[in-house]
Amino acid sequence: MSAYLIVDVDDIIEYLEGHSATPVLADAANALRNTAALASGLSSPDQLNAIAVADWNKYHRPTKNGMNVQQVYVSAGYDLFNISERKYMADALLTHYFPLDDESKIDELILATSSPDLIKL
């Protein structure tokens, strides 16, 4: 079974900052991965292909509260995918993770975003 979770990190951080005084990004990253694995019918989150998409140049240093965003997602088991221009996000992911000449079937594709940039995928 091939299951993917693609998380729009910029969107998640913006959402958490708007709804909480102290965003707990590690909890959100782990909860998304665990829930996506469960929804996909996988016996373990380790069987899920979790991808964290962001302009990682924005997060190469710890934030004001000392959180290292890249390390949060790496520690939670995500692949980091850098994209600096959001309008190319879906195309870049398709090219990198889902090439047209690859005949493997994707059973589940879960997107964690509210942005239309990724919904095109």
Side-chain angles (χ1 to χ4, degrees):
M1 174 176 233
S2 175
Y4 287 83
L5 166 65
I6 301 175
V7 175
D8 182 348
V9 175
D10 297 323
D11 189 48
I12 295 292
I13 289 174
E14 183 179 311
Y15 175 83
L16 289 173
E17 287 176 347
H19 289 82
S20 174
T22 307
V24 185
L25 193 58
D27 292 345
N30 285 314
L32 282 169
R33 189 165 178 251
N34 291 332
T35 304
L38 181 64
S40 298
L42 301 174
S43 60
S44 167
D46 295 333
Q47 296 173 317
L48 181 72
N49 296 299
I51 304 162
V53 181
D55 179 0
W56 289 110
N57 296 321
K58 289 196 263 184
Y59 306 113
H60 69 279
R61 293 188 178 153
T63 61
K64 290 179 254 182
N65 62 1
M67 176 180 58
N68 184 320
V69 177
Q70 291 180 1
Q71 188 59 46
V72 165
Y73 280 93
V74 169
S75 295
Y78 287 78
D79 288 336
L80 301 183
F81 188 77
N82 186 50
I83 189 76
S84 56
E85 290 196 47
R86 293 187 62 84
K87 65 183 176 181
Y88 301 119
M89 188 182 299
D91 292 334
L93 285 164
L94 281 171
T95 301
H96 188 76
Y97 286 98
F98 315 108
L100 294 174
D101 59 350
D102 183 3
E103 295 181 17
S104 59
K105 182 180 170 194
I106 299 169
D107 296 304
E108 297 287 336
L109 177 61
I110 300 170
L111 305 176
T113 187
S114 63
S115 171
D117 299 322
L118 191 54
I119 299 298
K120 293 185 276 184
L121 189 61

